[in-house]
Amino acid sequence: MFNLAFKNFNEILDMGGHGIYVWSVYFIGISIIFISFLIAKKRIKEVQKKIILKNASS
Amino acid sequence: MLGWTWGLLFAPQDAVQGNSYRIIFLHVPSVIFAELVYFFMAICALMHLVWRVKLAAYLIKSAAPIGAMITFIGLFSGSIWGIPTWGTWWQWDARITSTLILFIMYLGILTLHGSFSNLEKADRLMSILVIIGVVNIPIIKKSVDWWSTLHQPASISVSGSTSIDPSMLYPLFISVIGLGFTLISLGILSSRSYILSREKNKKWALKHV
Amino acid sequence: MTLVSAQNITYSINENKLFHNLSFGVNSGEGLHIKGGNGSGKSTLLRIILGITTPTKGLIKRCSEDLKISYLGHKNAIKNYLTPIENLELLFNDVEIKIAYEWLYKFNLSHVQDELAASLSFGQQKKLALIRVLAQSPELIVLDEPFVGLDQTAADQLNHFLEEQLSEGVGLIFTSHINPKISCKVLDLEAKNV
Amino acid sequence: MFRLLKTESFKLSNKLKSWLGPLLIMVLVLIAFPLSIDISQYDLEKFYFSIIVVSLLMTSFVATEGMFEEDFEDGSLEQEFLIEKDFYKLVLSKIIVYVCLIGIPIAFIGALFSFANGVAIGSFAKVFLLLILSNLLLFNLFAFGNALSINKGAMLGVLSSLPLALPVIILLGRAIRSIQFGDGFSSIIALMFGLGLILSAMMPLIISAALKTHID
């Protein structure tokens, strides 16, 4: 069950001709998730900056 | 937590037989969560309207983009999957149509909330829309089923193409859980920023900088 | 008799406090003038008294549930595509409309009564809206900036009519940035705010 | 209630643009469509119904636009709130008036055109009934969309509530097939009638909550 399904690295990339589809889906899907993580983190930083500025000025 | 969930997501890929079916490990979990996120939002909307819980509205607002994102991934991976297996990237099948409608609803909720300057009004109207929307989803699912049986009785069912073999089922199961944790952590992150930005005038906000 | 009383009204919008712990009351035959600069929340306070806006904290008490209130806000609720007469007919039945006609005459609007409301000037539209308010024979009149847009004669007329109403035992709450000639209590929002 | 019905029908009948516009659009689309394709090449009768369905969607979209917007802009909503304390009656009478003054003529036009394009004369009444019912459903839903975003114009709210209208369209498509093939029509009509009743009772509640939030 935990054996690798493919013999070598090229086969993993190719996947019997379907490699393009599989890897592009995973690449795009995972990068979307990753980017949304980055955006969320950036938002937190922006809000924190705003709060600090507000409290500094008042 | 992050690294752990990512590890879970990647690991099952190697352990499985099959070629383009590998998309299933991204496709199925994302479609499952596309709906779960909506139900979560609906519960929050109910809480907001009935008990006036402010936090519930904040959660809806921060969950909606995530829902839209995951629905988009589901649709997108499904359509790419369709190219090698069905020969077409889009089909007016019952499930696809209803998922597309779900995606449109997420976008609608977001635009509606974005169009108000008074945020409390925006919260309340958004909750109303979310609740009406949750009534709509089962109706859409059913009516699309009736409709598509008329148009294309031999349409390919997405679930039917999966043979339930343990070597595929376990990784699928794990990847569902993995994506779940990923989304929860993403949700926590984005709701944290949103709550902070809404409550930035309160004194406690300063402590969390 | 106290028509409306407010107890500890606090209102905040997007977490910004507009006013804090306001308390006042209006008896029948009594006027209340709400003063304050731009953005001090005069209109919002009126809408809270009317029950349109819900205050963040506090209570509005009315003497009875079906207290007859007539209100004129920034928006004058006049349909542009109808004539003044038709506008009044939308609201009143056959008996009340006669009173409204008298008001049309008193406010010097009879000569335009069959033109479309869109062709009336701002002041004339304001007068028409005021007629709607006055002809409802209310127990409490709530006006938001009633003197804006009226010429001197019309403003004097309005002063006179409002005093008449007050002497008949009608309550009056209004906002204005100029001091009117009506004798009444004054609530200064900015003074209270500080 | 009677006062509101009278007021609303008086207002609508005085707004030429609001009730004549949708009717003209309906007629225009139904005429323009056969002109724009090569009839000899396609079998128009087969899909003329779907044109009717789409133009029905469009016209109810146009007809309900500004349903509450005008009253919101000029402050009539606030006045109404002071009199009635909620908007249930107002919304209900508005929908009734709109269905009577715009919905029924539109349904009549649609039925007329469908029967001019190859539907048996016997099913004229069926089509008419069907279109009235779907108009009732669509007006309810679009009224909700309108109420969601009266401060920003009807467009946005209706767009965000557009998915709500899709089951109606799907149901309508199915009913039309059943007219063509002649089976199961009465059950669909019954379903639509039931849905129409439920929606007409529930929607004003929801809409009045939305309107209340807006004037708040």
Side-chain angles (χ1 to χ4, degrees):
Chain A
M1 194 169 168
F2 293 102
N3 293 334
L4 273 175
F6 303 102
K7 280 174 195 137
N8 53 38
F9 188 68
N10 276 340
E11 224 167 278
I12 292 179
L13 275 184
D14 188 46
M15 283 194 180
H18 293 309
I20 297 179
Y21 305 118
V22 175
W23 289 117
S24 59
V25 163
Y26 273 95
F27 177 71
I28 294 174
I30 287 167
S31 51
I32 288 176
I33 296 177
F34 189 66
I35 288 171
S36 46
F37 264 101
L38 287 186
I39 291 175
K41 287 216 159 157
K42 211 181 124 203
R43 284 241 177 98
I44 290 186
K45 283 221 175 98
E46 278 170 8
V47 173
Q48 286 176 338
K49 215 191 255 172
K50 260 189 205 163
I51 293 174
I52 290 172
L53 279 178
K54 201 173 172 116
N55 283 292
S57 63
S58 65
Chain B
M1 188 178 195
L2 255 169
W4 177 54
T5 43
W6 284 123
L8 276 176
L9 256 183
F10 275 108
Q13 280 177 45
D14 294 329
V16 208
Q17 307 283 333
N19 290 323
S20 65
Y21 291 117
R22 267 159 224 285
I23 294 178
I24 206 174
F25 299 118
L26 190 59
H27 178 69
V28 169
S30 58
V31 177
I32 289 175
F33 282 107
E35 275 165 38
L36 279 185
V37 169
Y38 198 92
F39 280 115
F40 169 74
M41 280 164 61
I43 293 167
C44 286
L46 201 66
M47 274 164 61
H48 180 64
L49 284 181
V50 177
W51 294 293
R52 295 281 152 109
V53 187
K54 265 200 217 160
L55 185 68
Y58 300 165
L59 285 180
I60 301 173
K61 177 64 187 26
S62 28
I66 298 172
M69 178 199 85
I70 205 68
T71 315
F72 177 75
I73 291 177
L75 279 174
F76 171 80
S77 61
S79 70
I80 286 195
W81 189 6
I83 297 173
T85 50
W86 298 350
T88 171
W89 64 275
W90 190 260
Q91 206 154 3
W92 289 104
D93 168 80
R95 281 170 190 249
I96 306 178
T97 314
S98 51
T99 312
L100 181 67
I101 290 165
L102 187 65
F103 181 60
I104 297 173
M105 293 208 64
Y106 278 123
L107 293 189
I109 290 163
L110 280 175
T111 41
L112 186 74
H113 192 277
S115 70
F116 291 94
S117 54
N118 184 336
L119 294 170
E120 276 135 39
K121 274 185 198 177
D123 285 347
R124 236 177 295 163
L125 289 168
M126 178 181 66
S127 309
I128 294 175
L129 182 61
V130 169
I131 285 192
I132 301 297
V134 83
V135 176
N136 195 41
I137 283 177
I139 296 177
I140 281 268
K141 277 217 153 13
K142 271 211 160 144
S143 56
V144 168
D145 270 330
W146 303 335
W147 167 65
S148 73
T149 48
L150 268 163
H151 271 264
Q152 20 171 293
S155 81
I156 305 157
S157 153
V158 178
S159 61
S161 60
T162 325
S163 67
I164 307 294
D165 186 82
S167 67
M168 282 172 81
L169 195 64
Y170 293 141
L172 185 60
F173 192 61
I174 294 170
S175 60
V176 169
I177 296 174
L179 190 65
F181 279 116
T182 315
L183 287 184
I184 289 172
S185 56
L186 182 56
I188 289 171
L189 267 185
S190 66
S191 58
R192 189 177 152 207
S193 75
Y194 190 67
I195 292 169
L196 272 179
S197 74
R198 283 289 291 270
E199 302 279 334
K200 58 175 172 271
N201 290 344
K202 297 274 172 69
K203 270 176 194 143
W204 61 260
L206 195 59
K207 288 180 201 157
H208 292 263
V209 174
Chain C
M1 185 179 62
T2 309
L3 293 172
V4 168
S5 65
Q7 293 165 359
N8 300 325
I9 299 292
T10 302
Y11 184 75
S12 47
I13 185 165
N14 291 351
E15 312 295 332
N16 294 321
K17 255 184 197 152
L18 213 48
F19 39 77
H20 186 66
N21 270 348
L22 285 178
S23 298
F24 54 85
V26 176
N27 300 327
S28 55
E30 191 181 39
L32 175 68
H33 175 202
I34 298 172
K35 248 170 131 178
N38 296 343
S40 60
K42 297 185 299 252
S43 304
T44 314
L45 185 56
L46 283 191
R47 292 163 67 85
I48 287 175
I49 294 167
L50 291 166
I52 295 176
T53 303
T54 331
T56 316
K57 266 182 209 141
L59 262 182
I60 294 289
K61 272 195 182 157
R62 292 186 188 174
C63 62
S64 77
E65 267 304 302
D66 42 302
L67 175 73
K68 208 167 174 207
I69 304 178
S70 64
Y71 164 64
L72 172 62
H74 286 299
K75 304 167 177 174
N76 52 20
I78 285 173
K79 301 287 169 199
N80 275 331
Y81 49 88
L82 298 177
T83 66
I85 295 265
E86 285 168 332
N87 263 305
L88 294 173
E89 278 171 352
L90 278 185
L91 199 63
F92 299 124
N93 60 29
D94 294 340
V95 183
E96 288 166 330
I97 197 78
K98 293 228 170 70
I99 309 171
Y101 287 156
E102 280 169 31
W103 282 106
L104 268 180
Y105 179 72
K106 280 186 200 164
F107 265 118
N108 202 13
L109 281 179
S110 324
H111 62 288
V112 288
Q113 66 182 17
D114 289 324
E115 286 174 39
L116 284 189
S119 65
L120 300 187
S121 72
F122 181 77
Q124 283 171 321
Q125 289 192 3
K126 187 101 185 182
K127 282 186 206 167
L128 184 58
L130 282 168
I131 290 171
R132 274 177 41 145
V133 169
L134 292 170
Q136 278 173 358
S137 51
E139 295 164 74
L140 177 67
I141 300 179
V142 179
L143 300 171
D144 199 350
E145 298 286 358
F147 297 102
V148 168
L150 296 182
D151 56 26
Q152 194 54 51
T153 35
D156 288 344
Q157 262 180 322
L158 180 63
N159 259 326
H160 174 67
F161 292 142
L162 287 180
E163 262 169 4
E164 232 175 55
Q165 295 281 330
L166 280 179
S167 62
E168 282 167 22
V170 177
L172 170 68
I173 303 177
F174 66 102
T175 65
S176 179
H177 55 263
I178 54 167
N179 285 324
K181 291 161 194 163
I182 310 167
S183 55
C184 54
K185 293 198 288 191
V186 174
L187 173 70
D188 197 332
L189 279 181
E190 275 164 348
K192 285 246 173 180
N193 254 347
V194 175
Chain D
M1 187 73 196
F2 179 69
R3 173 184 70 86
L4 283 170
L5 278 175
K6 210 178 87 187
T7 312
E8 289 305 325
S9 51
F10 182 65
K11 266 155 64 178
L12 187 60
S13 57
N14 269 287
K15 276 190 290 182
L16 194 65
K17 179 189 88 182
S18 292
W19 65 267
L20 199 59
L23 300 192
L24 281 180
I25 289 176
M26 184 84 181
V27 174
L28 213 65
V29 172
L30 291 183
I31 292 175
F33 189 76
L35 295 179
S36 67
I37 62 162
D38 189 357
I39 300 180
S40 59
Q41 209 173 351
Y42 300 99
D43 200 355
L44 188 63
E45 290 169 14
K46 268 190 187 159
F47 57 87
Y48 197 72
F49 261 133
S50 30
I51 311 307
I52 292 181
V53 171
V54 172
S55 52
L56 196 70
L57 189 67
M58 269 175 58
T59 43
S60 23
F61 180 81
V62 174
T64 50
E65 193 189 353
M67 200 176 193
F68 303 108
E69 200 181 355
E70 173 204 316
D71 281 358
F72 174 72
E73 289 297 330
D74 67 11
S76 303
L77 274 186
E78 291 163 7
Q79 301 285 348
E80 201 51 53
F81 181 76
L82 287 181
I83 298 172
E84 294 284 349
K85 299 284 180 284
D86 70 67
F87 294 118
Y88 188 85
K89 286 178 186 167
L90 176 78
V91 175
L92 193 62
S93 46
K94 255 189 201 285
I95 289 174
I96 292 173
V97 165
Y98 269 69
V99 168
C100 288
L101 286 188
I102 304 178
I104 291 179
I106 283 179
F108 187 74
I109 293 171
L112 208 63
F113 271 87
S114 74
F115 134 84
N117 282 279
V119 178
I121 300 173
S123 50
F124 180 86
K126 280 185 185 174
V127 178
F128 186 44
L129 185 63
L130 189 65
L131 293 183
I132 289 179
L133 280 179
S134 45
N135 248 323
L136 176 66
L137 292 173
L138 287 178
F139 277 19
N140 267 305
L141 294 174
F142 285 158
F144 169 65
N146 263 289
L148 276 183
S149 69
I150 27 179
N151 59 339
K152 293 280 154 102
M155 209 55 173
L156 179 80
V158 175
L159 283 185
S160 53
S161 65
L162 205 58
L164 298 173
L166 291 173
V168 180
I169 297 296
I170 293 167
L171 208 61
L172 195 57
R174 188 148 187 246
I176 278 164
R177 308 259 148 205
S178 79
I179 290 180
Q180 280 175 335
F181 300 124
D183 59 321
F185 178 72
S186 57
S187 66
I188 295 177
I189 278 289
L191 180 64
M192 284 183 84
F193 188 68
L195 265 182
L197 276 186
I198 294 171
L199 268 188
S200 312
M202 288 295 296
M203 267 310 179
L205 264 182
I206 298 159
I207 293 173
S208 61
L211 290 181
K212 177 71 186 47
T213 310
H214 268 288
I215 63 162
D216 199 326

